[in-house]
Amino acid sequence: MQMRRMSTDDGRTGLSEDYNRHVHYHSDTEVVGVDRKSFSGPMSVSGPLNKRGVRKGARFNIDGSTSGSVKSSLSNNNDEYVEITLDVREDSVAVHSVKTANGVDVEDPELSLLAKGLEKRSSFGSSAVKNASAKIRQVSQELKRLTSFSKRQPMKRLERTKSAAAYALKGLKFISKNDSGAAWAALEKRFDELTGDTNGLLPRSLFGECIGMNKDSKEFAGELFDSLSRRRNITGDVINKEQLKEFWDQISDQSFDSRLQTFFDMVDKDADGRITEDEVREIISLSASANKLSNIQKQADEYAALIMEELDPDNVGHIMIENLEMLLLQAPTHNVRGESRKLSQMLSQKLKTTHYGNPIRRWYEDFKYFLQDNWKRCWVIVLWIGIMTGLFTWKYFQYRNRAVYKLLGQCVCIAKGAAETLKLNMAIILLPVCRNTITWLRNKTKMGVVVPFDDNLNFHKVIAVAITIAIGLHAISHLTCDFPLLIHATEEEYRPMQQFFGDQAENYWHFVKEPVGYTGIIMVVLMAIAFTLATPWLRRGKLNLPPFLKKLTGFNAFWYSHHLFVIVYVMLIVHSIKIYLIKDWYKKTTWMYLTVPLALYTCERLIRAFRSSVKPVKILKVAVYPGNVLALHMSKPQGFKYKSGQYMFVNCAAVSPFEWHPFSITSSPGDDYLSVHIRTLGDWTRQLRTVFSEVCQPPHNGKSGLLRADCQGENPNFPRVLIDGPYGAPAQDYKKYDVVLLVGLGIGATPMISIVKDIVNNMKAKEEEQNALENGATLQKDKTGSRSTNNFRTTRAYFYWVTREQGSFDWFKGVMNEVAEMDKNGVIEMHNYCTSVYEEGDARSALITMLQSLNHAKNGVDVVSGTRVKSHFAKPNWRNVYKRIALNHNGSRIGVFYCGAPAPTKELKQLALDFSHKTPTKFDFHKENF
């Protein structure tokens, strides 16, 4: 170490010759002349301070024993000196006073906060502070931090308006509300559990788990641990409970200044009070990793340069804490007008749960709302149950008046009544899956006003339940009652039965070997298989089964087992012909029930086969996107007319010649091609992706999008694809509403994308139509065959796309950019939500938020989605979404269309009901789950 002679305040000479005896600091500040000896008492530090720190030679004065000096290379003739007096003890350093050179107390709250920071940051604990030299070293380091702010002209402190202050309180939270972080008592308990085997020392690797951060934030928690340790001069990768308490007090501090300083310390790894571009790059990579944003991680260099360009316009090579403060405290620009604020408060008041003291009144209100919301379903179910009840009653009393009643009694009446309902349900269960018929009725008639076509599959499942119940009643009545009575009847009792059953049976085998017996057993077995494999747990493969059983479940098993119905209907017809108690053919009514539905369904299947074979499609483009999504663009067959929101079936013989799978159409009716986006979720979709990947090998650069250039255009090597459709879906009714809320979850955005494109195309067509009428031109038919857009009512659309993965936005990047460019009138408001990113205000996503704002302002591109549509983080607050739409369209009827996994359905539907019941704005909810 360099030897230096200097004069102390009391005239003695101190020689800085040994690192262990004296403390020497690099850069522009050094502490010298402090002997390694114990002392206690007040110490004064004086020097020029200009708002942000010591400017020139600060001086230490220690009670009568030791003195030293802090020298700064900075100078400013206009600087004003202040004196900070510290009380240095064996185990603590406390601020005694902060005064100017004239002895006047300093009133600057900012300077007082920094001085208090010396006191807080200097508390080590008896185990860490063993001598005064260490105390002086720490204090001087803090003074060095203060002096570092003088490296550039101080920026004016950002004036915190009321809105900015409120916004600040929501920002830079180190513990998310979704994490398990709790009060100190819970944290202490978790600490004890984690340190049971480490003698009460918490390792760095378990710090995140201890404070309640999830496993995905392990690296972020490690950096937070390091920054908190640096501030307290803690070396090593373990801390005790006392130190953890200090850490917790800092990260749970609710003041924005404390949060800002903690975040700044995380970035400022060398603790010099400045942030360099390398440090910015490192924290960008860390934040991107914690939020699963791989694209941002790859472009960390570019985004670090962007931040430095914005916050370091003078190119001094670093940014300061006030720069971050200015950026973070930019409050949202949109303000709620006074009138809207009052409406918002009124809505909030109306939406509060009403507690009725009278249970009868509560039941009445609930029943009234239930009928209002479900009247279409109610009348269909009531009619269906009424018909079944009538048939059961008719058959029951019919057999009470027959000779068999004397021996078999109620059993035969119940069996025959259940059989009659079974005939009805075996007939009408085919109607809800006659998709062509339902689509025609939906599109060409007004029956949709009173018939809930959207519930066709739900009605199909309800009928299946009724069939199960009827089979149970019918089989149990025969097996446990009728057959035992016939077997054990006396000769006299059985004599009237002989004309129906022949010779008296001696055991059950007599009935089983007859056609009525074995056809009944075959039907029960086959229906049991089909019903079991159709349950959601087995159809979606959710059960954890052994490998050999796993192969027997999934969509393929459901698909093939459902086609056993062909055998079931054959057995049902044979069963009905060979029944014991009816001999005249015209009294055997099963064929009467089945003729029309079977004929209709047979025609449906023939039409499907004929239509798909005569309407071949050519693959125009193939693309594979992140998230295992395969996009197929194909030629549109002549005469193929569809509506946005509808779906079609796709078949690929190279995968399976018999399987047809439904997919939403993502192109709009105005496009000259058809497109579908298929996510790999099962065996068939996985094999389909493999087949096309073999034709189109992915590029070496690994980018998403087109697999290879020759995959755009006709390729003779493409596998043959057949389509069948289009078929009606709930989302196609969006044109009935002036305002629509479109919600897509993951790949569920596919029908919504088609609707968004269609809305833009229709708005464009309307403008062209108006211009043509003004010029006196004749309207020409568009690509959809329509001559006018008068039936198009939608004037406002809100599109919310929620997805887990950043790469998902690549699926429809082109569409979103096109809509953002074409929608000049702001008809469509698009919101992208990436749930892998922590909610706005969380410290783990703070830098992503800053980067997003800077890049969107400069380049007009969102860093998360890569589109012109700015993304939001975490999950939407659906209540606020509904509330804002209700405020913007007071008294309107809003169409809400959701497509995706079932999880959010309940919340979205309940909010639609609540707002419809308690506000003037009505929300009609439509869903399509997969």
Side-chain angles (χ1 to χ4, degrees), residues 223 269 277-287 300 304:
E223 291 297 332
K269 292 193 173 184
E277 185 169 344
D278 288 339
E279 290 171 330
V280 171
R281 184 184 303 108
E282 190 169 345
I283 198 67
I284 287 176
S285 296
L286 182 68
S287 299

Side-chain angles (χ1 to χ4, degrees), residues 112-145:
S112 299
L113 178 64
L114 292 172
K116 287 291 183 184
L118 291 177
E119 175 181 301
K120 180 182 292 186
R121 298 165 194 162
S122 300
S123 178
F124 280 89
S126 58
S127 63
V129 180
K130 296 181 179 178
N131 50 65
S133 181
K135 299 184 187 72
I136 299 301
R137 179 178 179 180
Q138 183 193 3
V139 172
S140 62
Q141 183 179 2
E142 292 299 333
L143 289 175
K144 177 189 172 189
R145 180 183 291 275

Side-chain angles (χ1 to χ4, degrees), residues 787-899:
R787 189 176 293 275
S788 174
T789 59
N790 291 333
N791 61 341
F792 185 78
R793 293 177 49 183
T794 307
T795 57
R796 185 72 164 144
Y798 298 87
F799 174 45
Y800 284 79
W801 184 16
V802 185
T803 183
R804 283 196 307 263
E805 303 165 357
Q806 181 188 15
S808 302
F809 295 115
D810 288 348
W811 305 344
F812 307 112
K813 182 184 292 186
V815 174
M816 288 187 287
N817 285 332
E818 181 184 1
V819 171
E821 183 177 351
M822 292 178 60
D823 186 19
K824 304 297 184 183
N825 299 324
V827 175
I828 303 172
E829 186 177 298
M830 295 190 290
H831 298 270
N832 294 333
Y833 279 81
C834 186
T835 58
S836 71
V837 185
Y838 291 96
E839 62 185 345
E840 295 176 22
D842 193 300
R844 286 165 287 187
S845 62
L847 202 69
I848 305 298
T849 304
M850 295 184 229
L851 189 58
Q852 183 188 46
S853 299
L854 291 177
N855 197 67
H856 201 275
K858 181 179 180 180
N859 303 318
V861 177
D862 181 67
V863 295
V864 177
S865 67
T867 69
R868 296 175 60 180
V869 182
K870 200 169 182 179
S871 298
H872 306 276
F873 304 153
K875 295 179 180 179
N877 185 326
W878 293 118
R879 188 178 186 86
N880 289 343
V881 171
Y882 275 82
K883 187 175 180 180
R884 190 166 69 87
I885 295 175
L887 289 172
N888 293 340
H889 307 281
N890 188 32
S892 301
R893 181 169 291 277
I894 315 295
V896 182
F897 298 91
Y898 170 73
C899 182

Side-chain angles (χ1 to χ4, degrees), residues 248-382:
W248 177 255
D249 289 341
Q250 182 171 341
I251 63 178
S252 61
D253 193 329
Q254 294 302 306
S255 69
F256 180 73
D257 291 301
S258 176
R259 296 179 195 168
L260 177 63
Q261 187 63 60
T262 302
F263 185 76
F264 187 87
D265 290 343
M266 281 189 64
V267 187
D268 182 22
K269 292 193 173 184
D270 57 5
D272 64 349
R274 311 174 184 89
I275 299 178
T276 64
E277 185 169 344
D278 288 339
E279 290 171 330
V280 171
R281 184 184 303 108
E282 190 169 345
I283 198 67
I284 287 176
S285 296
L286 182 68
S287 299
S289 175
N291 292 280
K292 301 178 182 177
L293 301 174
S294 57
N295 292 346
I296 292 180
Q297 204 166 1
K298 295 174 184 176
Q299 298 175 273
D301 291 343
E302 175 187 342
Y303 291 139
L306 176 65
I307 289 181
M308 295 301 294
E309 178 185 345
E310 179 69 21
L311 300 185
D312 181 27
D314 299 331
N315 290 323
V316 296
H318 59 262
I319 57 178
M320 311 298 290
I321 192 170
E322 58 265 37
N323 300 104
L324 286 178
E325 181 183 22
M326 178 183 66
L327 192 60
L328 287 167
L329 289 184
Q330 290 179 355
T333 56
H334 61 275
N335 294 317
V336 182
R337 294 178 301 173
E339 180 182 357
S340 296
R341 188 179 293 109
K342 290 180 181 178
L343 286 173
S344 177
Q345 293 172 352
M346 290 173 60
L347 273 180
S348 298
Q349 190 67 29
K350 288 182 177 180
L351 290 170
K352 289 183 177 179
T353 304
T354 304
H355 298 283
Y356 297 103
N358 189 337
I360 297 178
R361 173 72 184 279
R362 182 172 63 251
W363 179 87
Y364 169 76
E365 292 293 332
D366 291 343
F367 183 70
K368 179 181 70 174
Y369 287 139
F370 176 80
L371 288 180
Q372 288 178 359
D373 301 329
N374 301 281
W375 66 270
K376 289 183 183 179
R377 300 184 182 96
C378 287
W379 81 260
V380 172
I381 294 295
V382 168

Side-chain angles (χ1 to χ4, degrees), residues 622-624 630 632 652 654-655 685-699 707-708 710-711 715-719:
V622 179
V624 174
L630 173 69
L632 298 179
C652 180
V655 177
T685 52
R686 191 177 300 110
Q687 292 175 31
L688 182 71
R689 183 179 183 275
T690 301
V691 166
F692 278 98
S693 297
E694 290 174 354
V695 179
C696 301
Q697 296 299 325
L707 290 173
R708 203 171 62 187
D710 62 357
C711 285
N715 188 327
N717 296 322
F718 278 140

